[in-house]
Amino acid sequence: MKNYFLILLFFIVLNFSKVDAQSSQLWLDYMAYPIQDLSWDYEVNVGYNRLLSEGGWSDVYINNTVTFQKLWWLLFDGSLELHYTYDPQYLNSFEIRPWIMTTARWNTEGEHLNLYKPFIAVLFEYRQIFYDGDTPNEQKMRIRTRLGGRITINNKTMAVRTFYVPFRLELFFDLNGSATERFANKSRIMLGLGYIFNNAVRAEFVYYVNSFRNTYEDKFDATDNIFSLIVRHTL
């Protein structure tokens, strides 16, 4: 049954990727966890994104996230992201992005298709964007909803030397209009493959189908392919 479910997820993602006007992005992320205890977690995420085409933009960022969990099924996150985007075709920008998120998850592993802690989450973020030149700065707010989880492949739990499949659906809802950017996100579907090397390090290769709109030109909605490599390191 688990294999049929994985095949279904694969074909859902493949179907959404078969659209016109595609481009590709590469995301590289290192996530460190210096603090982890029963109630509090702290994550530092340093990342680099690149549009893989001529004149493609680059985005470097750091993200600091604190997670609080008192109940086994409910988590609260608060974060501050700092982004710098270099865009040779349009405008360079610096963004300050604080956000908060509430996550409800089903605390299960090794049962029901080998699902590991499937979740649903709601994220609220505020975006303060500073553009180069005389372009007015922007303040935008949006809601992001997420549904996802992991499926372990060769073990029933997330133990060392376990392969697993992370998956997620995410929808974006602008509250006061879209920001002025080449890739104003609308939705994402994610499917990947992860491996736990030891108690401290695991890695994930992830593929996203990302729906967006170029709000500089207000063109039609399009999609791009995102290839992401994530290294997670517990210190």
Side-chain angles (χ1 to χ4, degrees):
M1 187 66 179
K2 175 185 67 176
N3 293 334
Y4 290 121
F5 184 66
L6 290 174
I7 293 172
L8 177 62
L9 284 177
F10 173 79
F11 277 106
I12 289 174
V13 173
L14 184 64
N15 179 67
F16 276 92
S17 69
K18 290 183 177 180
V19 295
D20 295 330
Q22 289 186 337
S23 56
S24 295
Q25 299 180 33
L26 175 65
W27 293 4
L28 302 173
D29 286 278
Y30 171 74
M31 300 181 180
Y33 302 87
I35 300 175
Q36 286 189 311
D37 61 26
L38 294 177
S39 298
W40 294 93
D41 288 348
Y42 174 59
E43 172 196 294
V44 179
N45 175 198
V46 179
Y48 172 78
N49 298 346
R50 170 75 178 177
L51 178 63
L52 301 176
S53 62
E54 185 177 355
W57 49 261
S58 298
D59 180 32
V60 292
Y61 54 90
I62 184 169
N63 181 11
N64 297 271
T65 304
V66 175
T67 301
F68 175 72
Q69 179 183 5
K70 195 65 176 177
L71 302 175
W72 63 266
W73 60 274
L74 188 63
L75 294 85
F76 298 95
D77 295 88
S79 184
L80 176 64
E81 294 186 28
L82 303 175
H83 291 253
Y84 178 76
T85 302
Y86 169 73
D87 191 336
Q89 290 191 2
Y90 292 92
L91 295 172
N92 302 332
S93 64
F94 174 71
E95 179 178 348
I96 301 174
R97 186 189 302 178
W99 55 261
I100 56 174
M101 180 171 67
T102 300
T103 302
R105 68 183 184 187
W106 184 18
N107 198 23
T108 183
E109 53 183 304
E111 303 177 287
H112 312 293
L113 306 175
N114 274 14
L115 276 172
Y116 178 82
K117 297 183 179 179
F119 66 87
I120 184 170
V122 178
L123 183 154
F124 170 80
E125 63 182 7
Y126 173 81
R127 307 179 65 193
Q128 176 73 54
I129 307 172
F130 303 90
Y131 297 100
D132 282 355
D134 298 328
T135 301
N137 300 329
E138 293 185 335
Q139 301 83 35
K140 297 296 182 180
M141 295 177 289
R142 66 183 177 187
I143 298 288
R144 300 165 61 171
T145 58
R146 296 174 174 175
L147 175 67
R150 303 185 185 107
I151 300 173
T152 56
I153 297 177
N154 59 323
N155 285 309
K156 289 187 175 296
T157 63
M158 293 280 287
V160 174
R161 293 188 292 275
T162 296
F163 288 96
Y164 61 93
V165 174
F167 63 93
R168 187 172 72 215
L169 168 66
E170 183 170 18
L171 302 176
F172 296 76
F173 302 94
D174 294 319
L175 299 180
N176 59 338
S178 298
T180 304
E181 54 191 350
R182 290 171 69 179
F183 287 82
N185 295 309
K186 299 186 66 179
S187 65
R188 283 186 193 142
I189 298 177
M190 178 268 273
L191 190 65
L193 178 65
Y195 182 72
I196 303 175
F197 292 94
N198 51 50
N199 290 326
V201 179
R202 70 180 188 266
E204 298 172 2
F205 178 74
V206 172
Y207 171 67
Y208 294 86
V209 179
N210 186 57
S211 172
F212 69 93
R213 175 182 288 272
N214 182 342
T215 54
Y216 280 108
E217 302 180 3
D218 198 28
K219 289 187 175 180
F220 55 85
D221 295 346
T223 66
D224 57 354
N225 303 304
I226 300 173
F227 303 94
S228 173
L229 178 62
I230 305 167
V231 176
R232 302 180 186 272
H233 185 197
T234 301
L235 303 179

